[in-house]
Coordinates of all heavy atoms in Angstrom, one line a residue:
K355 N 26.3 12.7 -3.5 CA 26.5 11.9 -2.2 C 27.4 12.6 -1.3 O 27.5 12.3 -0.1 CB 27.0 10.5 -2.5 CG 26.0 9.6 -3.2 CD 25.0 9.0 -2.2 CE 24.1 8.0 -2.9 NZ 23.1 7.4 -1.9
S356 N 28.2 13.6 -1.9 CA 29.2 14.3 -1.1 C 28.8 15.7 -0.9 O 29.7 16.6 -1.0 CB 30.6 14.2 -1.7 OG 31.0 12.8 -2.0
A357 N 27.6 16.0 -0.6 CA 27.0 17.3 -0.6 C 27.7 18.2 0.4 O 27.8 19.4 0.2 CB 25.5 17.3 -0.3
T358 N 28.3 17.7 1.5 CA 28.9 18.5 2.5 C 30.3 18.9 2.2 O 30.9 19.7 2.8 CB 28.9 17.8 3.9 OG1 29.6 16.5 3.7 CG2 27.4 17.5 4.3
T359 N 30.9 18.3 1.1 CA 32.3 18.6 0.8 C 32.5 19.2 -0.5 O 33.6 19.4 -0.9 CB 33.1 17.3 0.9 OG1 32.6 16.3 -0.1 CG2 33.1 16.6 2.2
V360 N 31.4 19.6 -1.2 CA 31.6 20.2 -2.5 C 30.9 21.6 -2.5 O 30.2 21.9 -1.5 CB 30.9 19.4 -3.7 CG1 31.5 18.0 -3.8 CG2 29.4 19.3 -3.4
T361 N 31.3 22.4 -3.5 CA 30.7 23.8 -3.5 C 29.2 23.7 -3.9 O 28.8 22.8 -4.5 CB 31.5 24.6 -4.5 OG1 31.3 24.1 -5.8 CG2 33.0 24.6 -4.2
A362 N 28.6 24.8 -3.6 CA 27.1 24.9 -4.0 C 27.0 24.8 -5.5 O 26.0 24.2 -6.0 CB 26.6 26.2 -3.5
E363 N 27.9 25.4 -6.3 CA 27.8 25.4 -7.7 C 28.0 23.9 -8.2 O 27.2 23.5 -9.1 CB 28.9 26.3 -8.3 CG 28.7 27.7 -8.1 CD 29.1 28.2 -6.7 OE1 29.7 27.4 -6.0 OE2 28.8 29.3 -6.4
E364 N 28.9 23.2 -7.7 CA 29.2 21.8 -8.1 C 27.9 21.0 -7.7 O 27.5 20.1 -8.5 CB 30.4 21.3 -7.4 CG 31.7 21.8 -7.9 CD 32.9 21.4 -7.0 OE1 32.7 21.2 -5.8 OE2 34.0 21.3 -7.6
L365 N 27.3 21.2 -6.6 CA 26.2 20.4 -6.2 C 25.0 20.7 -7.1 O 24.3 19.8 -7.5 CB 25.8 20.7 -4.7 CG 24.7 19.9 -4.1 CD1 24.9 18.4 -4.2 CD2 24.4 20.3 -2.7
T366 N 24.8 22.0 -7.4 CA 23.7 22.3 -8.3 C 23.9 21.7 -9.7 O 22.9 21.2 -10.3 CB 23.6 23.9 -8.4 OG1 23.4 24.4 -7.1 CG2 22.5 24.3 -9.4
E367 N 25.1 21.8 -10.2 CA 25.3 21.2 -11.5 C 25.1 19.7 -11.5 O 24.5 19.1 -12.5 CB 26.8 21.5 -11.9 CG 27.1 21.0 -13.3 CD 28.6 21.3 -13.7 OE1 29.3 22.0 -12.9 OE2 29.0 20.7 -14.7
A368 N 25.5 19.0 -10.5 CA 25.4 17.6 -10.4 C 23.9 17.2 -10.3 O 23.4 16.3 -10.9 CB 26.1 17.0 -9.1
N369 N 23.1 18.0 -9.4 CA 21.7 17.7 -9.3 C 21.0 17.9 -10.6 O 20.1 17.1 -11.0 CB 21.1 18.7 -8.3 CG 21.4 18.2 -6.8 OD1 21.6 17.1 -6.6 ND2 21.5 19.2 -5.9
N370 N 21.4 19.0 -11.4 CA 20.7 19.2 -12.7 C 21.0 18.1 -13.7 O 20.1 17.7 -14.4 CB 21.2 20.6 -13.2 CG 20.6 21.7 -12.4 OD1 19.7 21.6 -11.7 ND2 21.3 22.9 -12.6
S371 N 22.3 17.6 -13.6 CA 22.7 16.6 -14.6 C 21.9 15.3 -14.3 O 21.4 14.6 -15.2 CB 24.2 16.3 -14.5 OG 24.9 17.4 -14.9
V372 N 21.9 14.9 -13.0 CA 21.2 13.7 -12.6 C 19.7 13.8 -12.9 O 19.1 12.8 -13.5 CB 21.4 13.3 -11.1 CG1 20.6 12.1 -10.7 CG2 22.9 13.0 -10.9
S373 N 19.1 14.9 -12.6 CA 17.6 15.1 -12.9 C 17.3 15.0 -14.3 O 16.3 14.4 -14.7 CB 17.2 16.4 -12.3 OG 17.3 16.4 -10.9
A374 N 18.2 15.7 -15.2 CA 17.9 15.7 -16.6 C 18.0 14.3 -17.2 O 17.2 13.9 -18.0 CB 18.9 16.6 -17.3
L375 N 19.1 13.5 -16.8 CA 19.2 12.2 -17.2 C 18.1 11.2 -16.7 O 17.7 10.4 -17.4 CB 20.6 11.6 -16.9 CG 21.8 12.2 -17.7 CD1 23.1 11.7 -17.1 CD2 21.6 11.8 -19.2
R376 N 17.7 11.5 -15.5 CA 16.6 10.7 -15.0 C 15.3 10.9 -15.8 O 14.7 9.9 -16.1 CB 16.4 11.1 -13.5 CG 15.1 10.5 -12.9 CD 15.3 9.1 -12.3 NE 14.0 8.6 -12.0 CZ 13.8 7.4 -11.4 NH1 14.9 6.7 -11.0 NH2 12.6 6.9 -11.1
D377 N 15.0 12.1 -16.1 CA 13.9 12.4 -17.0 C 14.0 11.8 -18.3 O 13.0 11.2 -18.9 CB 13.7 13.9 -17.1 CG 13.3 14.6 -15.8 OD1 12.8 13.9 -14.9 OD2 13.4 15.8 -15.7
A378 N 15.2 11.9 -18.9 CA 15.4 11.3 -20.3 C 15.2 9.8 -20.2 O 14.6 9.2 -21.1 CB 16.8 11.7 -20.8
F379 N 15.8 9.1 -19.2 CA 15.7 7.7 -19.1 C 14.2 7.3 -18.8 O 13.7 6.3 -19.4 CB 16.6 7.1 -18.0 CG 17.9 6.7 -18.5 CD1 18.9 7.6 -18.9 CD2 18.2 5.3 -18.7 CE1 20.1 7.2 -19.3 CE2 19.4 4.9 -19.1 CZ 20.4 5.9 -19.5
E380 N 13.5 8.1 -18.0 CA 12.2 7.7 -17.7 C 11.3 7.8 -18.9 O 10.5 6.9 -19.1 CB 11.6 8.7 -16.6 CG 10.3 8.3 -16.0 CD 10.0 9.0 -14.7 OE1 10.6 10.0 -14.4 OE2 9.1 8.6 -14.0
E381 N 11.4 8.8 -19.7 CA 10.6 9.0 -20.9 C 11.0 7.9 -21.9 O 10.1 7.3 -22.6 CB 10.8 10.3 -21.5 CG 10.2 11.5 -20.7 CD 10.5 12.8 -21.3 OE1 10.9 12.9 -22.5 OE2 10.3 13.9 -20.6
S382 N 12.2 7.6 -22.0 CA 12.7 6.5 -23.0 C 12.2 5.2 -22.6 O 11.8 4.3 -23.4 CB 14.2 6.6 -23.1 OG 14.7 7.8 -23.5
I383 N 12.3 4.9 -21.3 CA 11.9 3.6 -20.8 C 10.4 3.4 -21.0 O 9.9 2.3 -21.3 CB 12.3 3.4 -19.3 CG1 13.8 3.2 -19.2 CG2 11.5 2.3 -18.6 CD1 14.3 3.2 -17.8
H384 N 9.6 4.5 -20.7 CA 8.2 4.4 -20.9 C 7.9 4.2 -22.4 O 7.0 3.3 -22.7 CB 7.6 5.8 -20.5 CG 6.1 5.8 -20.8 ND1 5.2 5.2 -20.0 CD2 5.3 6.5 -21.7 CE1 3.9 5.4 -20.4 NE2 4.0 6.2 -21.5
A385 N 8.6 4.8 -23.3 CA 8.3 4.6 -24.7 C 8.7 3.2 -25.1 O 8.0 2.5 -25.9 CB 9.1 5.6 -25.6
A386 N 9.8 2.7 -24.6 CA 10.3 1.3 -24.9 C 9.3 0.3 -24.4 O 8.9 -0.7 -25.1 CB 11.6 1.1 -24.3
H387 N 8.8 0.5 -23.2 CA 7.8 -0.4 -22.6 C 6.5 -0.4 -23.4 O 5.9 -1.5 -23.7 CB 7.4 0.1 -21.2 CG 6.3 -0.7 -20.5 ND1 6.4 -2.0 -20.2 CD2 5.0 -0.3 -20.2 CE1 5.3 -2.4 -19.7 NE2 4.4 -1.4 -19.7
K388 N 6.1 0.7 -23.9 CA 4.8 0.8 -24.8 C 5.1 0.0 -26.1 O 4.2 -0.7 -26.5 CB 4.5 2.2 -25.0 CG 3.2 2.4 -25.8 CD 2.9 3.9 -26.0 CE 1.5 4.1 -26.8 NZ 1.6 3.4 -28.1
A389 N 6.3 0.2 -26.7 CA 6.6 -0.5 -27.9 C 6.6 -2.0 -27.7 O 6.1 -2.8 -28.5 CB 7.9 0.0 -28.5
I390 N 7.2 -2.4 -26.6 CA 7.3 -3.9 -26.3 C 5.9 -4.4 -26.1 O 5.5 -5.5 -26.6 CB 8.2 -4.1 -25.1 CG1 9.6 -3.8 -25.4 CG2 8.1 -5.6 -24.6 CD1 10.5 -3.7 -24.2
R391 N 5.1 -3.7 -25.3 CA 3.7 -4.1 -25.1 C 2.9 -4.2 -26.3 O 2.1 -5.2 -26.6 CB 3.1 -3.2 -24.1 CG 1.7 -3.6 -23.6 CD 1.1 -2.6 -22.7 NE 1.0 -1.2 -23.3 CZ 1.0 -0.1 -22.7 NH1 1.1 0.0 -21.4 NH2 1.0 1.0 -23.4
D392 N 3.0 -3.2 -27.2 CA 2.3 -3.2 -28.5 C 2.7 -4.4 -29.4 O 1.9 -5.0 -30.1 CB 2.5 -1.9 -29.2 CG 1.8 -0.7 -28.5 OD1 1.0 -1.0 -27.7 OD2 2.2 0.4 -28.9
R393 N 4.0 -4.7 -29.3 CA 4.5 -5.8 -30.1 C 4.0 -7.1 -29.7 O 3.6 -8.0 -30.5 CB 6.1 -5.8 -30.1 CG 6.7 -6.9 -31.0 CD 8.2 -6.8 -31.0 NE 8.8 -7.8 -31.9 CZ 9.1 -9.0 -31.5 NH1 8.9 -9.4 -30.2 NH2 9.7 -9.8 -32.3
K394 N 3.9 -7.3 -28.3 CA 3.3 -8.5 -27.8 C 1.9 -8.7 -28.2 O 1.4 -9.8 -28.5 CB 3.4 -8.5 -26.3 CG 4.8 -8.7 -25.8 CD 4.9 -8.7 -24.2 CE 6.3 -9.0 -23.7 NZ 6.4 -9.0 -22.3
K395 N 1.1 -7.5 -28.2 CA -0.3 -7.6 -28.7 C -0.4 -8.0 -30.1 O -1.2 -8.8 -30.5 CB -0.9 -6.2 -28.5 CG -1.2 -5.9 -27.0 CD -1.9 -4.5 -26.9 CE -2.2 -4.2 -25.4 NZ -2.8 -2.8 -25.3
R396 N 0.5 -7.5 -31.0 CA 0.5 -7.8 -32.4 C 0.8 -9.3 -32.6 O 0.3 -9.9 -33.6 CB 1.5 -6.9 -33.2 CG 1.1 -5.5 -33.3 CD 1.9 -4.8 -34.3 NE 3.4 -4.9 -34.1 CZ 4.1 -4.0 -33.4 NH1 3.5 -3.0 -32.8 NH2 5.4 -4.1 -33.3
L397 N 1.7 -9.8 -31.8 CA 2.1 -11.2 -31.9 C 1.2 -12.2 -31.2 O 1.3 -13.4 -31.4 CB 3.5 -11.4 -31.5 CG 4.6 -10.7 -32.3 CD1 6.0 -10.9 -31.7 CD2 4.6 -11.2 -33.7
A398 N 0.3 -11.7 -30.4 CA -0.6 -12.6 -29.6 C -1.4 -13.5 -30.4 O -1.4 -14.7 -30.2 CB -1.5 -11.8 -28.6
A399 N -2.1 -13.0 -31.4 CA -3.0 -13.8 -32.3 C -2.1 -14.9 -33.1 O -2.5 -16.1 -33.1 CB -3.8 -13.0 -33.2
P400 N -1.1 -14.5 -33.8 CA -0.3 -15.5 -34.5 C 0.3 -16.6 -33.5 O 0.4 -17.7 -33.9 CB 0.9 -14.7 -35.1 CG 0.3 -13.3 -35.2 CD -0.6 -13.1 -34.1
D401 N 0.7 -16.2 -32.3 CA 1.3 -17.1 -31.4 C 0.2 -18.2 -31.0 O 0.5 -19.3 -30.8 CB 1.8 -16.4 -30.1 CG 3.1 -15.7 -30.4 OD1 3.7 -16.0 -31.4 OD2 3.5 -14.9 -29.6
R402 N -1.0 -17.7 -30.8 CA -2.1 -18.6 -30.4 C -2.4 -19.6 -31.6 O -2.7 -20.8 -31.3 CB -3.3 -17.9 -30.0 CG -3.2 -17.1 -28.7 CD -4.5 -16.5 -28.2 NE -4.3 -15.7 -27.0 CZ -4.2 -16.2 -25.8 NH1 -4.3 -17.5 -25.6 NH2 -4.0 -15.4 -24.7
V403 N -2.4 -19.1 -32.8 CA -2.6 -20.0 -33.9 C -1.5 -21.0 -34.1 O -1.8 -22.2 -34.3 CB -2.8 -19.2 -35.2 CG1 -2.9 -20.1 -36.5 CG2 -4.0 -18.3 -35.2
N404 N -0.3 -20.6 -33.8 CA 0.9 -21.5 -33.9 C 0.7 -22.6 -32.8 O 1.0 -23.8 -33.1 CB 2.2 -20.8 -33.6 CG 2.6 -20.0 -34.9 OD1 2.4 -20.5 -36.0 ND2 3.3 -18.9 -34.7
A405 N 0.2 -22.2 -31.6 CA 0.0 -23.2 -30.6 C -1.1 -24.2 -31.0 O -1.0 -25.4 -30.7 CB -0.4 -22.5 -29.3
A406 N -2.1 -23.7 -31.6 CA -3.2 -24.5 -32.1 C -2.7 -25.5 -33.2 O -3.1 -26.7 -33.2 CB -4.4 -23.7 -32.6
V407 N -1.9 -25.0 -34.1 CA -1.3 -25.9 -35.1 C -0.5 -27.0 -34.4 O -0.6 -28.2 -34.9 CB -0.4 -25.1 -36.0 CG1 0.4 -26.0 -37.0 CG2 -1.2 -24.1 -36.9
D408 N 0.3 -26.7 -33.4 CA 1.1 -27.7 -32.7 C 0.1 -28.8 -32.1 O 0.4 -30.0 -32.2 CB 1.9 -27.1 -31.6 CG 3.1 -26.3 -32.2 OD1 3.4 -26.5 -33.4 OD2 3.6 -25.4 -31.5
E409 N -1.0 -28.3 -31.5 CA -1.9 -29.3 -30.9 C -2.6 -30.1 -32.0 O -2.8 -31.3 -31.8 CB -3.0 -28.5 -30.2 CG -2.5 -27.8 -28.9 CD -2.0 -28.8 -27.8 OE1 -2.5 -29.9 -27.8 OE2 -1.1 -28.4 -27.1
L410 N -2.9 -29.6 -33.1 CA -3.5 -30.3 -34.2 C -2.6 -31.4 -34.8 O -3.0 -32.5 -35.2 CB -4.0 -29.4 -35.3 CG -5.3 -28.6 -35.0 CD1 -5.5 -27.5 -36.0 CD2 -6.5 -29.5 -34.8
Q411 N -1.3 -31.0 -34.9 CA -0.3 -32.0 -35.4 C -0.2 -33.1 -34.4 O 0.0 -34.3 -34.8 CB 1.1 -31.3 -35.6 CG 1.1 -30.3 -36.8 CD 2.3 -29.6 -36.9 OE1 3.1 -29.4 -35.9 NE2 2.6 -29.0 -38.1
Q412 N -0.3 -32.8 -33.1 CA -0.2 -33.9 -32.1 C -1.5 -34.8 -32.2 O -1.5 -36.0 -32.0 CB -0.1 -33.3 -30.7 CG -0.1 -34.4 -29.6 CD 1.1 -35.3 -29.7 OE1 2.2 -34.9 -30.0 NE2 0.8 -36.6 -29.5
C413 N -2.6 -34.1 -32.6 CA -3.9 -34.8 -32.8 C -3.8 -35.9 -33.9 O -4.3 -36.9 -33.8 CB -5.0 -33.8 -33.1 SG -6.6 -34.5 -33.4
V414 N -3.0 -35.5 -34.9 CA -2.8 -36.5 -36.0 C -2.1 -37.8 -35.5 O -2.6 -38.9 -35.8 CB -1.9 -35.9 -37.1 CG1 -1.6 -37.0 -38.2 CG2 -2.6 -34.7 -37.8
T415 N -1.1 -37.6 -34.6 CA -0.4 -38.7 -34.0 C -1.4 -39.5 -33.1 O -1.4 -40.8 -33.2 CB 0.8 -38.3 -33.2 OG1 1.6 -37.5 -34.0 CG2 1.5 -39.4 -32.6
D416 N -2.2 -38.8 -32.4 CA -3.2 -39.5 -31.5 C -4.2 -40.3 -32.3 O -4.6 -41.4 -31.9 CB -3.9 -38.4 -30.6 CG -2.9 -37.8 -29.6 OD1 -1.9 -38.3 -29.4 OD2 -3.3 -36.7 -29.2
L417 N -4.6 -39.8 -33.5 CA -5.6 -40.5 -34.3 C -5.0 -41.8 -34.8 O -5.7 -42.8 -34.9 CB -6.1 -39.6 -35.4 CG -7.0 -38.5 -35.1 CD1 -7.2 -37.5 -36.2 CD2 -8.4 -39.1 -34.7
V418 N -3.7 -41.7 -35.2 CA -3.1 -42.9 -35.7 C -3.0 -44.0 -34.6 O -3.3 -45.2 -34.8 CB -1.6 -42.6 -36.2 CG1 -0.9 -43.9 -36.6 CG2 -1.7 -41.7 -37.4
L419 N -2.6 -43.6 -33.4 CA -2.6 -44.5 -32.3 C -3.9 -45.1 -31.9 O -4.1 -46.3 -31.6 CB -1.9 -43.8 -31.1 CG -0.5 -43.3 -31.2 CD1 -0.1 -42.5 -30.0 CD2 0.4 -44.6 -31.4
A420 N -5.0 -44.2 -32.0 CA -6.3 -44.6 -31.6 C -6.8 -45.6 -32.7 O -7.5 -46.6 -32.3 CB -7.2 -43.4 -31.5
R421 N -6.5 -45.4 -34.0 CA -6.9 -46.4 -35.0 C -6.2 -47.8 -34.8 O -6.9 -48.8 -35.0 CB -6.5 -45.8 -36.4 CG -7.1 -46.7 -37.5 CD -6.9 -46.0 -38.9 NE -5.5 -45.9 -39.2 CZ -4.9 -44.7 -39.3 NH1 -5.6 -43.6 -39.0 NH2 -3.6 -44.6 -39.6

Side-chain angles (χ1 to χ4, degrees):
K355 292 281 186 179
S356 307
T358 58
T359 60
V360 299
T361 65
E363 291 78 11
E364 289 172 330
L365 183 59
T366 299
E367 182 181 353
N369 284 333
N370 291 340
S371 295
V372 173
S373 296
L375 284 175
R376 169 84 192 186
D377 291 343
F379 267 76
E380 190 164 17
E381 292 178 14
S382 302
I383 287 172
H384 177 74
H387 173 69
K388 184 177 183 300
I390 292 168
R391 185 182 59 203
D392 291 345
R393 183 173 181 274
K394 286 181 178 179
K395 287 181 179 178
R396 291 196 301 270
L397 294 177
D401 286 345
R402 291 187 185 278
V403 173
N404 281 328
V407 170
D408 291 340
E409 292 294 329
L410 286 171
Q411 288 175 342
Q412 180 60 43
C413 178
V414 174
T415 303
D416 295 340
L417 285 169
V418 172
L419 295 174
R421 185 171 65 248

